[in-house]
Amino acid sequence: MEEIQKVIAEIESKVAKMRAALVDVKTENIKLASEVQLLNEKLGQREEEVEDFREKYDGLKRQHEERLSLEDQDKKGNEAQIDALVREIDDCIGRLKA
């Protein structure tokens, strides 16, 4: 009978240890779940920041392309004005020679 009491005591001890381990695991699980939630929130914030930066980048890129287009148009306009002035100068030189 004494051996049975000893076996029962060992089983009770192991069950108590397992319960304590289970409580520890549950506590750790709650802690990790909270950490996962926090990290998901931070990830969401970073994704929003990325989207904001992407929108700003796209806007700046559009502005740059528009500026380049305007500069190109200005160059073409300047070239046309220079060509007109050169023709006018040639015409004036031709008149002076005559």
Side-chain angles (χ1 to χ4, degrees), residues 2 5 16-17 24-25 38 41 54 57-58 62 68 70 96:
E2 191 174 308
Q5 293 292 344
K17 286 180 184 178
D24 291 343
V25 168
L38 179 65
E41 290 172 3
R54 183 170 285 129
Y57 171 78
D58 290 343
R62 261 193 315 279
L68 287 178
L70 289 174
L96 287 173

Side-chain angles (χ1 to χ4, degrees), residues 26-90:
K26 285 182 179 180
T27 303
E28 182 70 16
N29 190 27
I30 291 169
K31 178 183 169 188
L32 291 173
S34 175
E35 190 174 331
V36 166
Q37 182 179 359
L38 179 65
L39 290 172
N40 280 331
E41 290 172 3
K42 286 183 179 181
L43 178 62
Q45 291 172 350
R46 296 299 178 258
E47 287 173 347
E48 289 176 9
E49 288 177 7
V50 166
E51 188 59 34
D52 289 342
F53 284 126
R54 183 170 285 129
E55 288 174 6
K56 288 177 184 178
Y57 171 78
D58 290 343
L60 290 172
K61 188 175 178 182
R62 261 193 315 279
Q63 288 177 359
H64 178 68
E65 290 170 354
E66 290 172 1
R67 211 173 269 149
L68 287 178
S69 177
L70 289 174
E71 287 176 3
D72 196 34
Q73 290 174 357
D74 286 346
K75 285 180 184 177
K76 289 178 183 177
N78 288 342
E79 288 174 3
Q81 288 177 343
I82 290 171
D83 288 344
L85 288 173
V86 168
R87 283 193 299 276
E88 189 176 332
I89 290 170
D90 284 342

